[in-house]
Amino acid sequence: PYHHNLGVAFFCELHTRACDHYYREYDRIHGLTDTAEAHEIRRSKRTLVDLITAVGRRLPSLNLSIQNREWDVAFAGTTTFPWQALRGNLAQDGISLRKGSTGKAGTFPRTGVQAAMLRAWVHTIHVEIASMLGVASSSIKSYGPDPVSPLLARMSSTPALSDAAPDLLITGTLGAFGTRMTALSAMARGIPVLTFHHGAQYLIFDEPYYDLYEGALPDFKVVYGNPGGPSSGDLATTKINIRGSAIRLFPRTDHTISQLRTVGDVDRLVSLKGKSVLYFATEVESVRYGPFRDVHASTYLSWQRKLLAWLQSQTGIPPTIRLHPKRPSTHFDPKGYPLGSADLAEEIQRADVLVIDYPTTSLPIALATTKPVLYFDLGLRQLFPAATQAIQDRCIAATTDLFEPSEGFSIMERNLGKSCRDTFTNAFSVAPNSSDEISDSANAIAQALAIR
């Protein structure tokens, strides 16, 4: 069964790390591995996510329970806000909140047999990937020698759900090992699980990885935007969870989008000359978890240099770059251009034009404004058709070969002057009748309890 299955429990660790390992082996075989200098580790101020995580580590010492209440809710992991921010709203509905992962470690039946199957899988993928790469299996480093045993040791020392069974478990992303184990221990006991989606937009990626990452595990999900609304199209995302039950979705709006959203016509852009540009870069150096996600960081940097040079030639002004806050090093930062480090809202307000080349969290933030957005589709992610159409409606877009981008630049130049309209935000970013993120989240918890 799913809640006693080591493949489900270890999926994020084994699958993600195996993909990352063999991508890097591919790079090494083809001379793409960087050995010129050690990467400079970033030492900047902590991000909001870092602060939330730090608060989460201290939560066991906080008394978050409310006595004599009707409903008991436990939380695990971290989400886009501190869990205790929900306390006041939940208390109004007679709901108490406490840390859930305080019990003994989980145990799985037939662990030895399952571990042997996973070790066989590790050997099989090594042989098959070597064949795909056209080399002997001895020519590439194996993913191991035994990645399963350390995970078994972690499982035996990772606290799972407390013995006092809650009415509902709420979680952040289920990719985190401890959070995933707590969720599986709740599911094994018939306790419903509600997961908070992240990323400031509802799922736009049509990629198989998501289902076993977190798409198919919870009973309830709090997501962004208005999934199922008339403008979101028929999103072919997970509708049935791993128990075989329908997943209930609750909408919310990201706090940053609530602050930055401007209702009105999208500003028209006829020429880039004299315009100030803010370019949102992503990072492709750290998590390389499978199809539709990977490109070597040096390849991405080469594209960025061409893009930035083209933007400066068009505007006559050096573009400002806002780099990904969680990039693991500064080694692949494009040099020679001003870096954005001020408040995000202020930087967006100062810019005449916003530029996106990867549909991560920066995309819905940029699209929620009325600023003109240049969207270079590099083919690095696979999107649902409804999401692709909404992006094309809102942006001046150009499909671009990141190795040979000149044609993409020409397409972008020809597309300037296009009339854009925002069909994205109401479908993928903003919940209908939304008040604020905390209230929306508390209401979702109350509704999940009422229909559990």
Side-chain angles (χ1 to χ4, degrees), residues 79 108 124 168 184 195 327 337 360 380 398 411 424:
T79 189
F108 281 30
T124 298
L168 177 72
L184 287 172
T195 292
R327 64 195 191 282
Y337 297 91
T360 185
L380 296 181
I411 294 172
F424 185 94

Side-chain angles (χ1 to χ4, degrees), residues 56-215:
R57 295 192 188 103
R58 296 196 297 271
L59 285 176
S61 64
L62 302 177
N63 180 14
L64 297 182
S65 63
I66 304 172
Q67 300 299 321
N68 301 318
R69 295 294 186 179
E70 181 179 359
W71 296 107
D72 177 26
V73 172
F75 65 84
T78 59
T79 189
T80 52
F81 52 80
W83 292 119
Q84 62 266 36
L86 292 169
R87 293 180 68 193
N89 297 70
L90 293 178
Q92 296 174 19
D93 292 319
I95 302 169
S96 67
L97 183 66
R98 62 181 170 87
K99 188 173 178 64
S101 54
T102 58
K104 59 185 179 182
T107 57
F108 281 30
R110 304 188 71 197
T111 297
V113 175
Q114 293 192 66
M117 294 173 68
L118 290 175
R119 292 187 182 102
W121 169 79
V122 169
H123 173 73
T124 298
I125 62 170
H126 182 78
V127 173
E128 292 186 356
I129 289 177
S131 176
M132 290 170 60
L133 297 179
V135 299
S137 58
S138 59
S139 299
I140 57 174
K141 298 176 183 176
S142 63
Y143 170 51
D146 176 18
V148 179
S149 292
L151 292 176
L152 290 172
R154 282 182 64 187
M155 184 179 74
S156 65
S157 60
T158 300
L161 191 67
S162 58
D163 293 335
D167 297 301
L168 177 72
L169 176 70
I170 61 176
T171 79
T173 173
L174 293 173
F177 187 86
T179 305
R180 196 174 184 87
M181 294 304 301
T182 302
L184 287 172
S185 65
M187 295 165 71
R189 294 160 63 179
I191 298 165
V193 175
L194 180 150
T195 292
F196 286 85
H197 188 65
H198 61 284
Q201 62 195 3
Y202 182 54
L203 180 70
I204 68 172
F205 302 119
D206 183 12
E207 299 168 359
Y209 169 81
Y210 175 75
D211 275 0
L212 275 180
Y213 173 69
E214 63 184 14

Side-chain angles (χ1 to χ4, degrees), residues 295-328:
V295 65
H296 193 271
S298 63
T299 301
Y300 184 63
L301 175 59
S302 176
W303 145 255
Q304 288 182 306
R305 287 171 176 159
K306 295 171 185 175
L307 169 65
L308 294 166
W310 177 80
L311 288 170
Q312 184 164 347
S313 71
Q314 292 290 306
T315 63
I317 304 171
T320 299
I321 310 171
R322 191 168 180 95
L323 296 169
H324 197 286
K326 293 195 288 186
R327 64 195 191 282

Side-chain angles (χ1 to χ4, degrees), residues 221-265:
K221 286 191 284 189
V222 180
V223 301
Y224 294 109
N226 185 23
S231 58
S232 65
D234 182 20
L235 297 181
T237 185
T238 311
K239 296 179 174 65
I240 302 297
N241 69 6
I242 205 166
R243 305 181 200 244
S245 301
I247 299 174
R248 176 71 180 268
L249 304 179
F250 300 103
R252 65 169 168 164
T253 303
D254 176 77
H255 177 68
T256 302
I257 288 180
S258 294
Q259 287 182 313
L260 292 175
R261 188 187 183 202
T262 307
V263 179
D265 294 336

